[in-house]
Amino acid sequence: MILTFRMPSEKVKKWLKLLIKIIITVLCIWYISNKIDLKKLAEVLVLSNPLWIAASVGAFIFSKMLSSLRLNVYFRNIDIHLPEWTNIRLYWLAMFYNLFLPGSISGDAYKVVRLTRDYNVAYKKTTAAVLLDRFSGLLALGILLGIFWIIAFKGGYYSVWLMTGILLGIPVFYFLIKIFFPYFLAGFFPTFGWGGAVQIFQVVCMYCILQALHIQTHTGNYMLIFLISSVVAVLPFTIGGLGAREVVFLWGAHIFGLDHTVSVMASLLFYGATVASSLPGLPFIFIDPLKTTTAKPAPQTYATTME
């Protein structure tokens, strides 16, 4: 009798990935709960300033609106001309998918599928636009990380080497785009500028959270931990970065001698800001975010767009 082995279907793979994310998220939360005082965590939240928390949510929402403007630069480079408000609605829906429906379809995949279909643009171009948008954001994040690394360590701990490596990433990224994605080259500097603005307002968001928690000292250390946690949260190991970011804050607090409970609360409040900022995407599950947009397909058949 010959046994045959069948590869799992795409649907099974999707749910298996979701299960792994849930397990890792739960393990991270369990680990954190055993390292901090949960009663003190609740007390820290009760004593926090709600006005500063509201300001942090506003700063984060504004950062995501800037992020949608950055992505629209890439879209225009491949002749997808979305009105800014339409693009923001699509971006909000993608955020909602990423955070609340991780087992359904990722926000990035939704944008790629919709724009490829509606605008008859090559699949590889829409995919590249979304991925390069992520990379440009990470590049700007890296520069801020290098700056706060220098501040936190007062120029020590390989600060010069780290900053040099990060800055060298700019021309490397530029020439990679020039070689492999020349149609995006015109948007390199505008998207780099938008990426810097996005990260600055996310730093502003964390600053508001620190003020809400009455943290007046070691701000540079907290910001460095936050920026490192932002890099880790990008990795698709947990749901919306929950758990992974908090573990980084916990370890960072240990390294810098900061209050573990307050540090974890700062991270949780930032996650809360991401949740609040994603909620406006809910209506667009039922209302087509592109319905006001008139697509202008290129003169080619759909079959050629998948090449």
Side-chain angles (χ1 to χ4, degrees):
M1 181 178 179
I2 299 176
L3 297 176
T4 58
F5 175 75
R6 291 185 177 181
M7 294 295 292
S9 66
E10 288 299 320
K11 188 174 182 180
V12 172
K13 289 180 181 178
K14 178 179 66 177
W15 287 106
L16 183 59
K17 289 178 181 178
L18 176 60
L19 178 61
I20 293 172
K21 284 185 177 183
I22 293 173
I23 292 173
I24 294 176
T25 302
V26 170
L27 286 175
C28 287
I29 294 173
W30 173 82
Y31 173 79
I32 294 163
S33 66
N34 283 279
K35 295 293 183 179
I36 62 174
D37 185 338
L38 295 180
K39 183 179 179 181
K40 182 181 176 181
L41 187 72
E43 291 174 353
V44 169
L45 179 60
V46 170
L47 294 173
S48 62
N49 187 320
L51 293 179
W52 277 110
I53 292 177
S56 72
V57 174
F60 189 82
I61 290 175
F62 190 66
S63 78
K64 300 312 290 184
M65 293 183 72
L66 294 178
S67 184
S68 73
L69 296 177
R70 179 186 66 199
L71 179 57
N72 212 11
V73 174
Y74 283 114
F75 288 158
R76 288 195 293 270
N77 288 159
I78 53 175
D79 290 327
I80 296 177
H81 298 281
L82 293 175
E84 295 297 356
W85 177 239
T86 302
N87 179 57
I88 288 172
R89 298 196 307 179
L90 178 65
Y91 199 92
W92 254 327
L93 177 58
M95 287 174 58
F96 186 87
Y97 273 130
N98 282 335
L99 201 60
F100 293 99
L101 301 173
S104 177
I105 181 174
S106 74
D108 288 343
Y110 178 81
K111 285 182 285 191
V112 168
V113 171
R114 281 300 309 272
L115 295 176
T116 297
R117 185 190 69 188
D118 291 13
Y119 277 80
N120 202 20
V121 175
Y123 176 81
K124 64 180 181 180
K125 287 187 176 183
T126 52
T127 302
V130 171
L131 291 178
L132 289 176
D133 177 68
R134 289 294 186 98
F135 279 116
S136 65
L138 282 174
L139 188 60
L141 174 61
I143 292 174
L144 282 179
L145 192 156
I147 292 171
F148 279 102
W149 183 284
I150 293 172
I151 294 172
F153 290 109
K154 297 180 174 60
Y157 288 91
Y158 309 101
S159 294
V160 174
W161 290 105
L162 176 65
M163 197 64 185
T164 301
I166 292 171
L167 292 176
L168 285 175
I170 299 175
V172 170
F173 188 47
Y174 178 87
F175 283 109
L176 286 176
I177 291 176
K178 185 176 182 179
I179 294 170
F180 296 105
F181 308 103
Y183 36 86
F184 289 121
L185 197 61
F188 178 84
F189 290 107
T191 55
F192 182 69
W194 283 120
V198 169
Q199 298 305 329
I200 287 172
F201 273 94
Q202 294 204 5
V203 166
V204 170
C205 172
M206 179 50 62
Y207 176 79
C208 292
I209 289 173
L210 296 180
Q211 295 304 303
L213 297 176
H214 312 289
I215 298 173
Q216 305 298 332
T217 59
H218 306 291
T219 303
N221 295 345
Y222 279 107
M223 288 301 181
L224 175 60
I225 296 170
F226 163 66
L227 292 168
I228 294 174
S229 74
S230 296
V231 175
V232 173
V234 171
L235 303 176
F237 296 144
T238 62
I239 297 176
L242 179 63
R245 190 187 295 276
E246 286 67 39
V247 168
V248 173
F249 264 83
L250 186 64
W251 288 348
H254 177 73
I255 292 172
F256 290 112
L258 306 174
D259 188 298
H260 291 190
T261 304
V262 173
S263 297
V264 170
M265 178 51 69
S267 179
L268 289 173
L269 286 176
F270 184 81
Y271 182 76
T274 66
V275 172
S277 301
S278 301
L279 288 176
L282 175 60
F284 302 116
I285 291 180
F286 311 101
I287 303 171
D288 186 356
L290 299 180
K291 70 174 184 177
T292 60
T293 303
T294 303
K296 298 178 181 179
Q300 54 184 359
T301 64
Y302 183 75
T304 62
T305 66
M306 306 301 292
E307 295 177 356

Short mmCIF file of all heavy atoms in Angstrom, two decimals, residues 225-256:
data_model
loop_
_atom_site.label_atom_id
_atom_site.label_comp_id
_atom_site.label_asym_id
_atom_site.label_seq_id
_atom_site.Cartn_x
_atom_site.Cartn_y
_atom_site.Cartn_z
N ILE A 225 13.26 52.17 23.80
CA ILE A 225 12.55 50.89 23.97
C ILE A 225 11.34 50.84 23.05
O ILE A 225 11.07 49.82 22.41
CB ILE A 225 12.12 50.72 25.44
CG1 ILE A 225 13.34 50.64 26.36
CG2 ILE A 225 11.26 49.46 25.60
CD1 ILE A 225 12.99 50.72 27.83
N PHE A 226 10.61 51.95 22.97
CA PHE A 226 9.43 52.01 22.12
C PHE A 226 9.78 51.76 20.66
O PHE A 226 9.10 50.99 19.96
CB PHE A 226 8.75 53.37 22.29
CG PHE A 226 7.78 53.71 21.19
CD1 PHE A 226 6.62 52.98 21.04
CD2 PHE A 226 8.05 54.75 20.31
CE1 PHE A 226 5.72 53.28 20.02
CE2 PHE A 226 7.16 55.05 19.30
CZ PHE A 226 5.99 54.32 19.15
N LEU A 227 10.85 52.40 20.18
CA LEU A 227 11.22 52.25 18.77
C LEU A 227 11.70 50.83 18.47
O LEU A 227 11.40 50.28 17.40
CB LEU A 227 12.30 53.28 18.42
CG LEU A 227 11.81 54.74 18.43
CD1 LEU A 227 12.99 55.70 18.37
CD2 LEU A 227 10.86 55.00 17.27
N ILE A 228 12.44 50.23 19.39
CA ILE A 228 12.84 48.84 19.20
C ILE A 228 11.62 47.93 19.18
O ILE A 228 11.51 47.01 18.34
CB ILE A 228 13.82 48.40 20.30
CG1 ILE A 228 15.13 49.17 20.19
CG2 ILE A 228 14.10 46.89 20.22
CD1 ILE A 228 16.11 48.91 21.33
N SER A 229 10.66 48.20 20.07
CA SER A 229 9.44 47.39 20.11
C SER A 229 8.63 47.55 18.82
O SER A 229 7.96 46.62 18.39
CB SER A 229 8.59 47.78 21.32
OG SER A 229 7.95 49.03 21.13
N SER A 230 8.71 48.73 18.20
CA SER A 230 7.99 48.96 16.95
C SER A 230 8.57 48.10 15.82
O SER A 230 7.83 47.61 14.96
CB SER A 230 8.06 50.44 16.56
OG SER A 230 7.40 51.24 17.52
N VAL A 231 9.90 47.93 15.84
CA VAL A 231 10.54 47.05 14.85
C VAL A 231 10.10 45.61 15.07
O VAL A 231 9.73 44.89 14.14
CB VAL A 231 12.07 47.17 14.92
CG1 VAL A 231 12.73 46.16 13.99
CG2 VAL A 231 12.52 48.58 14.59
N VAL A 232 10.09 45.18 16.34
CA VAL A 232 9.71 43.81 16.67
C VAL A 232 8.24 43.57 16.33
O VAL A 232 7.87 42.50 15.83
CB VAL A 232 9.96 43.52 18.16
CG1 VAL A 232 9.42 42.15 18.56
CG2 VAL A 232 11.46 43.59 18.46
N ALA A 233 7.38 44.56 16.58
CA ALA A 233 5.95 44.41 16.34
C ALA A 233 5.62 44.23 14.86
O ALA A 233 4.55 43.71 14.52
CB ALA A 233 5.19 45.61 16.90
N VAL A 234 6.52 44.69 13.98
CA VAL A 234 6.29 44.53 12.54
C VAL A 234 6.36 43.05 12.15
O VAL A 234 5.67 42.60 11.23
CB VAL A 234 7.34 45.34 11.74
CG1 VAL A 234 7.27 45.00 10.25
CG2 VAL A 234 7.11 46.83 11.95
N LEU A 235 7.17 42.28 12.87
CA LEU A 235 7.31 40.85 12.57
C LEU A 235 5.98 40.15 12.83
O LEU A 235 5.37 40.33 13.88
CB LEU A 235 8.42 40.24 13.44
CG LEU A 235 9.80 40.90 13.32
CD1 LEU A 235 10.78 40.27 14.30
CD2 LEU A 235 10.32 40.78 11.89
N PRO A 236 5.52 39.32 11.89
CA PRO A 236 4.16 38.73 11.98
C PRO A 236 4.10 37.51 12.90
O PRO A 236 3.68 36.43 12.49
CB PRO A 236 3.87 38.36 10.53
CG PRO A 236 5.22 38.00 9.97
CD PRO A 236 6.20 38.95 10.63
N PHE A 237 4.53 37.67 14.15
CA PHE A 237 4.52 36.56 15.08
C PHE A 237 3.34 36.59 16.04
O PHE A 237 2.97 35.57 16.62
CB PHE A 237 5.82 36.53 15.90
CG PHE A 237 7.05 36.30 15.06
CD1 PHE A 237 8.25 36.92 15.37
CD2 PHE A 237 7.01 35.46 13.95
CE1 PHE A 237 9.39 36.70 14.60
CE2 PHE A 237 8.13 35.24 13.17
CZ PHE A 237 9.33 35.87 13.50
N THR A 238 2.79 37.77 16.27
CA THR A 238 1.66 37.90 17.19
C THR A 238 0.54 38.67 16.50
O THR A 238 0.71 39.18 15.39
CB THR A 238 2.06 38.65 18.48
OG1 THR A 238 2.48 39.97 18.14
CG2 THR A 238 3.19 37.92 19.20
N ILE A 239 -0.61 38.76 17.16
CA ILE A 239 -1.77 39.47 16.59
C ILE A 239 -1.63 40.96 16.85
O ILE A 239 -1.70 41.41 18.00
CB ILE A 239 -3.07 38.93 17.20
CG1 ILE A 239 -3.24 37.45 16.85
CG2 ILE A 239 -4.27 39.72 16.68
CD1 ILE A 239 -4.45 36.81 17.48
N GLY A 240 -1.39 41.71 15.80
CA GLY A 240 -1.28 43.16 15.92
C GLY A 240 -0.11 43.62 16.77
O GLY A 240 -0.09 44.75 17.24
N GLY A 241 0.89 42.74 16.96
CA GLY A 241 2.05 43.11 17.78
C GLY A 241 1.81 42.97 19.27
O GLY A 241 2.71 43.21 20.08
N LEU A 242 0.58 42.59 19.68
CA LEU A 242 0.24 42.45 21.10
C LEU A 242 1.09 41.34 21.72
O LEU A 242 1.19 40.24 21.18
CB LEU A 242 -1.24 42.12 21.27
CG LEU A 242 -1.72 41.92 22.71
CD1 LEU A 242 -1.55 43.19 23.53
CD2 LEU A 242 -3.18 41.47 22.73
N GLY A 243 1.67 41.62 22.85
CA GLY A 243 2.51 40.64 23.53
C GLY A 243 3.97 40.84 23.22
O GLY A 243 4.80 41.01 24.13
N ALA A 244 4.31 40.86 21.94
CA ALA A 244 5.71 41.04 21.54
C ALA A 244 6.23 42.41 21.97
O ALA A 244 7.33 42.54 22.51
CB ALA A 244 5.85 40.87 20.03
N ARG A 245 5.43 43.45 21.74
CA ARG A 245 5.83 44.80 22.12
C ARG A 245 6.00 44.90 23.64
O ARG A 245 6.95 45.51 24.12
CB ARG A 245 4.80 45.82 21.63
CG ARG A 245 5.25 47.26 21.76
CD ARG A 245 4.11 48.21 21.41
NE ARG A 245 3.69 48.11 20.03
CZ ARG A 245 4.27 48.75 19.03
NH1 ARG A 245 5.32 49.53 19.27
NH2 ARG A 245 3.82 48.62 17.80
N GLU A 246 5.09 44.29 24.38
CA GLU A 246 5.14 44.35 25.84
C GLU A 246 6.37 43.62 26.38
O GLU A 246 6.97 44.05 27.38
CB GLU A 246 3.86 43.77 26.44
CG GLU A 246 2.64 44.65 26.30
CD GLU A 246 2.17 44.81 24.87
OE1 GLU A 246 2.22 43.81 24.11
OE2 GLU A 246 1.75 45.93 24.49
N VAL A 247 6.74 42.52 25.76
CA VAL A 247 7.95 41.79 26.18
C VAL A 247 9.19 42.66 25.99
O VAL A 247 10.07 42.71 26.86
CB VAL A 247 8.09 40.46 25.40
CG1 VAL A 247 9.47 39.85 25.62
CG2 VAL A 247 7.02 39.47 25.83
N VAL A 248 9.25 43.38 24.87
CA VAL A 248 10.38 44.28 24.63
C VAL A 248 10.43 45.38 25.68
O VAL A 248 11.49 45.71 26.21
CB VAL A 248 10.30 44.89 23.21
CG1 VAL A 248 11.39 45.95 23.03
CG2 VAL A 248 10.44 43.81 22.15
N PHE A 249 9.27 45.95 26.01
CA PHE A 249 9.22 46.98 27.05
C PHE A 249 9.67 46.42 28.40
O PHE A 249 10.37 47.10 29.16
CB PHE A 249 7.80 47.56 27.17
CG PHE A 249 7.60 48.82 26.39
CD1 PHE A 249 7.31 48.78 25.03
CD2 PHE A 249 7.72 50.06 27.00
CE1 PHE A 249 7.12 49.95 24.30
CE2 PHE A 249 7.54 51.23 26.29
CZ PHE A 249 7.24 51.18 24.94
N LEU A 250 9.28 45.20 28.69
CA LEU A 250 9.67 44.58 29.95
C LEU A 250 11.17 44.37 30.02
O LEU A 250 11.83 44.70 31.02
CB LEU A 250 8.93 43.24 30.11
CG LEU A 250 9.11 42.51 31.44
CD1 LEU A 250 8.53 43.32 32.59
CD2 LEU A 250 8.44 41.14 31.37
N TRP A 251 11.75 43.83 28.95
CA TRP A 251 13.19 43.61 28.91
C TRP A 251 13.95 44.94 28.92
O TRP A 251 14.98 45.07 29.58
CB TRP A 251 13.57 42.80 27.67
CG TRP A 251 13.13 41.37 27.76
CD1 TRP A 251 12.68 40.71 28.87
CD2 TRP A 251 13.10 40.41 26.69
NE1 TRP A 251 12.36 39.41 28.57
CE2 TRP A 251 12.61 39.19 27.24
CE3 TRP A 251 13.42 40.46 25.34
CZ2 TRP A 251 12.45 38.04 26.47
CZ3 TRP A 251 13.26 39.32 24.59
CH2 TRP A 251 12.79 38.12 25.14
N GLY A 252 13.44 45.92 28.19
CA GLY A 252 14.08 47.23 28.16
C GLY A 252 14.07 47.89 29.52
O GLY A 252 15.06 48.51 29.93
N ALA A 253 12.96 47.75 30.24
CA ALA A 253 12.87 48.32 31.59
C ALA A 253 13.90 47.67 32.51
O ALA A 253 14.50 48.35 33.36
CB ALA A 253 11.46 48.11 32.14
N HIS A 254 14.13 46.38 32.32
CA HIS A 254 15.13 45.68 33.14
C HIS A 254 16.54 46.19 32.84
O HIS A 254 17.34 46.42 33.74
CB HIS A 254 15.05 44.17 32.88
CG HIS A 254 16.07 43.38 33.61
ND1 HIS A 254 16.01 43.14 34.97
CD2 HIS A 254 17.22 42.76 33.17
CE1 HIS A 254 17.05 42.42 35.34
NE2 HIS A 254 17.80 42.18 34.28
N ILE A 255 16.83 46.42 31.56
CA ILE A 255 18.17 46.87 31.15
C ILE A 255 18.45 48.27 31.69
O ILE A 255 19.53 48.55 32.21
CB ILE A 255 18.29 46.84 29.61
CG1 ILE A 255 18.28 45.40 29.10
CG2 ILE A 255 19.58 47.56 29.16
CD1 ILE A 255 18.20 45.28 27.60
N PHE A 256 17.46 49.16 31.60
CA PHE A 256 17.67 50.56 32.00
C PHE A 256 17.27 50.84 33.45
O PHE A 256 17.35 51.99 33.89
CB PHE A 256 16.90 51.49 31.06
CG PHE A 256 17.46 51.57 29.67
CD1 PHE A 256 16.76 51.03 28.59
CD2 PHE A 256 18.69 52.16 29.44
CE1 PHE A 256 17.27 51.11 27.30
CE2 PHE A 256 19.21 52.24 28.15
CZ PHE A 256 18.51 51.71 27.08
#
